[in-house]
């Protein structure tokens, strides 16, 4: 996955620490699921609690498991999914407001290169 908010294989604890250090409701990132191979987790901070939503792809369509009772919605790309959930009232506890980017560069020849050990918070410039 090549998204600025994708943090790869970081643990739930690392995710919670990172989002807590930012401290803004609506801060979010995507990481690999620790329990479901091939799935991702959309992690969102709201009032010091990190809410985790499973994100998966089936037959080229992306789905996020939202609040109970919300009709599932499918998206042609994860970017479209993220843009939709930036708006209030879409089924998440809080809209996606503050993307937490990773400090990795994707290089086709060399793989992932870490620019620095710590991740920093930056505003996303659009998807």
């Amino acid at each position: 996955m090549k998204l600025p908010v994708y943090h790869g294989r970081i643990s739930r604890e690392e995710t919670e620490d990172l989002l807590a250090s930012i401290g803004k409701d609506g801060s979010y990132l995507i990481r690999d699921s620790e329990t479901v191979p091939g799935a991702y987790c959309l992690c969102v901070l709201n009032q010091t609690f990190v809410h985790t939503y499973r994100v998966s792809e089936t037959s080229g369509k992306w789905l996020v498991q939202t609040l109970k009772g919300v009709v599932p919605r499918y998206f042609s790309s994860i970017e479209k999914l993220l843009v939709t959930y930036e708006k209030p009232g879409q089924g998440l506890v809080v809209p996606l407001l503050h993307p937490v980017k990773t400090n990795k560069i994707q290089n086709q020849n060399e793989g992932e290169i870490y620019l620095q050990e710590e991740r920093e918070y930056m505003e996303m410039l659009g998807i």
Side-chain angles (χ1 to χ4, degrees):
M1 175 180 293
K2 292 185 179 181
L3 286 174
V5 296
Y6 174 61
H7 288 252
R9 287 185 118 188
I10 64 171
S11 69
R12 180 180 55 85
E13 292 82 12
E14 288 174 288
T15 300
E16 290 173 355
D17 290 345
L18 179 58
L19 291 173
S21 73
I22 292 167
K24 291 183 179 181
D25 287 353
S27 295
Y28 70 96
L29 61 83
I30 296 175
R31 65 173 173 84
D32 292 338
S33 172
E34 293 178 299
T35 57
V36 179
Y40 303 98
C41 293
L42 172 61
C43 303
V44 186
L45 181 69
N46 185 43
Q47 299 181 1
T48 72
F49 184 77
V50 176
H51 298 264
T52 301
Y53 302 92
R54 184 161 295 130
V55 177
S56 57
E57 181 185 19
T58 305
S59 301
K61 298 289 183 184
W62 289 90
L63 167 72
V64 61
Q65 292 177 341
T66 58
L67 298 173
K68 189 174 182 176
V70 175
V71 177
R73 296 170 66 185
Y74 295 88
F75 300 88
S76 60
S77 71
I78 197 158
E79 293 87 353
K80 289 181 181 180
L81 179 150
L82 294 174
V83 167
T84 297
Y85 289 105
E86 289 175 352
K87 300 172 191 89
Q90 300 300 311
L92 301 183
V93 67
V94 65
L96 303 177
L97 301 174
H98 308 289
V100 179
K101 292 186 178 183
T102 185
N103 284 338
K104 288 189 244 185
I105 295 176
Q106 298 287 335
N107 184 313
Q108 293 177 348
N109 298 324
E110 300 176 27
E112 295 177 350
I113 301 171
Y114 283 87
L115 294 176
Q116 51 188 311
E117 289 183 25
E118 294 189 26
R119 293 170 177 85
E120 66 180 288
Y121 172 78
M122 300 184 313
E123 292 293 326
M124 183 177 286
L125 297 176
I127 295 177

